[in-house]
Short mmCIF file of all heavy atoms in Angstrom, two decimals:
data_model
loop_
_atom_site.label_atom_id
_atom_site.label_comp_id
_atom_site.label_asym_id
_atom_site.label_seq_id
_atom_site.Cartn_x
_atom_site.Cartn_y
_atom_site.Cartn_z
N CYS K 42 120.40 94.76 121.92
CA CYS K 42 119.05 94.91 122.10
C CYS K 42 118.72 94.52 123.56
O CYS K 42 119.26 93.59 124.14
CB CYS K 42 118.26 93.97 121.13
SG CYS K 42 116.54 94.27 121.06
N PRO K 43 117.84 95.38 124.17
CA PRO K 43 117.56 95.13 125.56
C PRO K 43 116.74 93.86 125.76
O PRO K 43 115.70 93.64 124.97
CB PRO K 43 116.73 96.33 126.06
CG PRO K 43 116.53 97.24 124.93
CD PRO K 43 117.29 96.66 123.73
N ASN K 44 117.18 92.93 126.59
CA ASN K 44 116.48 91.73 126.93
C ASN K 44 116.25 90.61 125.92
O ASN K 44 116.48 89.46 126.20
CB ASN K 44 115.06 92.04 127.57
CG ASN K 44 115.14 93.01 128.68
OD1 ASN K 44 116.05 92.86 129.60
ND2 ASN K 44 114.36 93.98 128.79
N ARG K 45 115.79 91.00 124.72
CA ARG K 45 115.45 89.88 123.76
C ARG K 45 115.66 90.40 122.29
O ARG K 45 115.26 91.59 122.03
CB ARG K 45 114.05 89.55 123.95
CG ARG K 45 113.58 88.35 123.09
CD ARG K 45 112.10 88.02 123.65
NE ARG K 45 111.64 86.81 122.96
CZ ARG K 45 110.98 86.69 121.92
NH1 ARG K 45 110.64 87.81 121.18
NH2 ARG K 45 110.57 85.52 121.41
N LEU K 46 116.21 89.54 121.45
CA LEU K 46 116.40 89.92 120.05
C LEU K 46 115.94 88.69 119.21
O LEU K 46 116.27 87.59 119.56
CB LEU K 46 117.93 90.20 119.79
CG LEU K 46 118.29 90.62 118.28
CD1 LEU K 46 119.35 91.72 118.43
CD2 LEU K 46 118.76 89.46 117.56
N VAL K 47 115.14 88.99 118.20
CA VAL K 47 114.61 87.91 117.36
C VAL K 47 115.16 88.06 115.91
O VAL K 47 115.08 89.20 115.34
CB VAL K 47 113.02 88.02 117.32
CG1 VAL K 47 112.55 86.84 116.42
CG2 VAL K 47 112.46 87.83 118.71
N VAL K 48 115.65 86.93 115.33
CA VAL K 48 116.04 86.91 113.92
C VAL K 48 115.00 86.06 113.26
O VAL K 48 114.87 84.86 113.60
CB VAL K 48 117.47 86.30 113.80
CG1 VAL K 48 117.82 86.26 112.34
CG2 VAL K 48 118.47 87.06 114.58
N ARG K 49 114.31 86.58 112.26
CA ARG K 49 113.15 85.92 111.60
C ARG K 49 113.59 85.50 110.21
O ARG K 49 113.99 86.35 109.38
CB ARG K 49 111.90 86.76 111.59
CG ARG K 49 111.38 86.95 112.94
CD ARG K 49 109.91 87.69 112.85
NE ARG K 49 109.28 87.78 114.10
CZ ARG K 49 109.51 88.71 114.96
NH1 ARG K 49 110.21 89.80 114.65
NH2 ARG K 49 108.93 88.71 116.20
N ARG K 50 113.43 84.17 109.99
CA ARG K 50 113.73 83.70 108.62
C ARG K 50 112.99 84.46 107.54
O ARG K 50 113.59 84.85 106.47
CB ARG K 50 113.42 82.20 108.53
CG ARG K 50 113.59 81.53 107.15
CD ARG K 50 113.11 80.13 107.09
NE ARG K 50 111.76 80.06 107.49
CZ ARG K 50 110.70 80.41 106.75
NH1 ARG K 50 110.81 80.87 105.57
NH2 ARG K 50 109.46 80.28 107.24
N GLU K 51 111.69 84.65 107.66
CA GLU K 51 110.91 85.30 106.65
C GLU K 51 111.42 86.73 106.38
O GLU K 51 111.47 87.12 105.16
CB GLU K 51 109.42 85.35 107.07
CG GLU K 51 108.53 85.98 106.14
CD GLU K 51 107.04 85.99 106.55
OE1 GLU K 51 106.79 85.89 107.80
OE2 GLU K 51 106.22 86.12 105.77
N SER K 52 111.77 87.51 107.33
CA SER K 52 112.34 88.83 107.09
C SER K 52 113.61 88.84 106.35
O SER K 52 113.87 89.66 105.50
CB SER K 52 112.58 89.64 108.46
OG SER K 52 111.33 89.69 109.22
N ILE K 53 114.44 87.86 106.67
CA ILE K 53 115.69 87.78 105.92
C ILE K 53 115.46 87.33 104.45
O ILE K 53 116.03 87.80 103.52
CB ILE K 53 116.70 86.66 106.60
CG1 ILE K 53 117.07 87.16 107.96
CG2 ILE K 53 117.91 86.40 105.71
CD1 ILE K 53 117.82 86.11 108.78
N GLU K 54 114.53 86.43 104.25
CA GLU K 54 114.17 86.00 102.91
C GLU K 54 113.72 87.22 102.07
O GLU K 54 114.03 87.32 100.87
CB GLU K 54 113.12 84.91 102.86
CG GLU K 54 113.70 83.59 103.36
CD GLU K 54 112.70 82.45 103.46
OE1 GLU K 54 111.54 82.73 103.44
OE2 GLU K 54 113.10 81.29 103.51
N ILE K 55 112.96 88.06 102.70
CA ILE K 55 112.39 89.21 101.91
C ILE K 55 113.62 90.16 101.56
O ILE K 55 113.60 90.61 100.47
CB ILE K 55 111.39 89.97 102.84
CG1 ILE K 55 110.11 89.21 103.03
CG2 ILE K 55 111.13 91.39 102.24
CD1 ILE K 55 109.15 89.72 104.09
N ASN K 56 114.53 90.31 102.44
CA ASN K 56 115.65 91.21 102.15
C ASN K 56 116.62 90.57 101.14
O ASN K 56 117.24 91.26 100.36
CB ASN K 56 116.48 91.51 103.47
CG ASN K 56 115.75 92.60 104.23
OD1 ASN K 56 115.19 93.55 103.77
ND2 ASN K 56 115.69 92.39 105.51
N MET K 57 116.75 89.25 101.21
CA MET K 57 117.67 88.60 100.23
C MET K 57 117.08 88.25 98.99
O MET K 57 117.73 88.11 97.87
CB MET K 57 118.27 87.32 100.88
CG MET K 57 119.25 87.51 101.97
SD MET K 57 119.94 85.95 102.43
CE MET K 57 121.20 86.47 103.57
N GLY K 58 115.70 88.04 98.91
CA GLY K 58 115.07 87.76 97.66
C GLY K 58 115.24 86.26 97.33
O GLY K 58 115.09 85.89 96.15
N ARG K 59 115.43 85.46 98.34
CA ARG K 59 115.64 83.99 98.09
C ARG K 59 115.30 83.27 99.40
O ARG K 59 115.23 83.82 100.45
CB ARG K 59 117.04 83.62 97.71
CG ARG K 59 118.15 83.93 98.71
CD ARG K 59 119.39 83.18 98.38
NE ARG K 59 120.45 83.42 99.33
CZ ARG K 59 120.72 82.67 100.33
NH1 ARG K 59 119.89 81.68 100.63
NH2 ARG K 59 121.74 82.91 101.17
N ALA K 60 115.11 81.94 99.28
CA ALA K 60 114.95 81.14 100.52
C ALA K 60 116.21 81.17 101.41
O ALA K 60 117.31 81.31 100.91
CB ALA K 60 114.66 79.68 100.07
#
Side-chain angles (χ1 to χ4, degrees):
C42 194
N44 302 319
R45 186 174 189 267
L46 181 142
V47 179
V48 180
R49 293 189 173 89
R50 178 189 50 77
E51 183 179 19
S52 299
I53 295 170
E54 288 179 343
I55 290 169
N56 284 321
M57 286 188 174
R59 67 166 180 86

